[in-house]
Amino acid sequence: LERFVSASRSPLALGALFDRDRDALPSLLQILSAGQSLSDLLIRDPECYDLLRLTDGQPVARELLVAELCTEVDLLNDDLAVMAALRRFKHRETLRIAYGDIIRRQNIETVTRQISFLADAICEAALRHATKRCEAKRGVPRLANGERTRCVILALGKLGGLELNYSSDIDLIVLYEGEGQSDEPHGVPNHEYFERLAKDLTKLLTEPTDL
């Protein structure tokens, strides 16, 4: 709690909030007591607590999460900026889900589906950026008949069953439609193209950052 108050933009305003809203401090203490990782997320972004209180931890549809994050990422070109956006979104949405879980006592199915929807949104935004970068470097992958080669990411395990918990890993498989090559002058075969796409996607999702 001391670290959270010290990190806040205005400790006096925070104290006034606790005095005005008698539920604010007990709710904050519940989240801080739930685990070090959630505490660290709140302390890193104290203003997020206002957002938590406004949203009240209510569930958000998968489509809305995907649209919100993809809209932000589509405006970015730099990999580091994209990774920062992905992680910032994950942190804030994880806190929203935890608020609904811990403070509003949502059932376990709602919580695990929300965590899974969040993972879906992050994977979708990362894939869109990785695809844009691959096409800029290597052209558009084509089948032998000239049509664009489609690909899909399959989620296995807990994500595939919409049963992720806060610390779950995700297992993904990238499948592409068929052989061919990209349409740039020095095109690469589709198997190589999508291998590189998968590596770029993995980097966006897993490489450590300052966030």
Side-chain angles (χ1 to χ4, degrees), residues 125-143:
L127 176 62
R128 285 174 59 151
H129 177 74
T131 299
K132 180 172 70 174
R133 297 282 283 176
C134 274
E135 290 182 359
K137 294 178 181 178
R138 306 176 185 101
V140 176
R142 301 286 181 183
L143 297 171

Side-chain angles (χ1 to χ4, degrees), residues 24 52 76 84 96 105 118 148 166 168 172 175 177:
L52 295 181
L76 305 173
R96 173 186 60 80
R105 304 293 183 184
L118 172 58
R148 183 190 184 100
Y166 294 106
S168 295
L172 305 174
L175 301 177
E177 190 172 14

Side-chain angles (χ1 to χ4, degrees), residues 155-194:
L156 307 179
K158 291 183 177 180
L159 178 55
L162 299 179
E163 296 174 342
L164 283 184
N165 59 48
Y166 294 106
S167 59
S168 295
D169 292 329
I170 60 173
D171 300 308
L172 305 174
I173 294 179
V174 179
L175 301 177
Y176 64 95
E177 190 172 14
E179 291 304 331
Q181 70 176 35
S182 59
D183 59 6
E184 65 172 10
H186 302 287
V188 296
N190 281 351
H191 69 271
E192 182 178 338
Y193 186 98
F194 287 103

Side-chain angles (χ1 to χ4, degrees), residues 9-159:
R9 179 178 296 180
S10 175
L12 288 177
L14 188 61
L17 168 65
F18 294 154
D19 186 57
R20 182 175 67 254
D21 183 348
R22 295 309 176 102
D23 291 331
L25 180 56
S27 296
L28 175 61
L29 289 174
Q30 279 186 273
I31 296 175
L32 293 175
S33 300
Q36 191 64 50
S37 60
L38 291 177
S39 298
D40 289 343
L41 290 181
L42 264 180
I43 291 164
R44 186 181 297 147
D45 187 9
E47 294 179 22
C48 187
Y49 188 55
D50 291 333
L51 181 62
L52 295 181
R53 296 175 65 249
L54 285 172
T55 61
D56 201 35
Q58 290 300 308
V60 178
R62 178 191 182 280
E63 292 76 15
L64 292 179
L65 291 172
V66 171
E68 180 180 349
L69 183 55
C70 286
T71 297
E72 179 179 359
V73 168
D74 284 348
L75 299 175
L76 305 173
N77 292 312
D78 179 73
D79 285 355
L80 291 178
V82 170
M83 287 190 283
L86 296 177
R87 284 146 185 75
R88 185 167 54 247
F89 189 82
K90 177 187 177 183
H91 295 165
R92 290 203 165 190
E93 291 302 315
T94 296
L95 285 169
R96 173 186 60 80
I97 295 166
Y99 192 96
D101 180 10
I102 298 164
I103 307 301
R104 295 305 172 217
R105 304 293 183 184
Q106 293 169 356
N107 62 56
I108 187 66
E109 182 180 17
T110 297
V111 174
T112 55
R113 287 177 70 87
Q114 284 292 293
I115 297 172
S116 300
F117 290 166
L118 172 58
D120 278 349
I122 292 170
C123 289
E124 179 72 26
L127 176 62
R128 285 174 59 151
H129 177 74
T131 299
K132 180 172 70 174
R133 297 282 283 176
C134 274
E135 290 182 359
K137 294 178 181 178
R138 306 176 185 101
V140 176
R142 301 286 181 183
L143 297 171
N145 62 8
E147 293 183 359
R148 183 190 184 100
T149 309
R150 297 175 297 177
C151 77
V152 64
I153 295 181
L154 298 183
L156 307 179
K158 291 183 177 180
L159 178 55

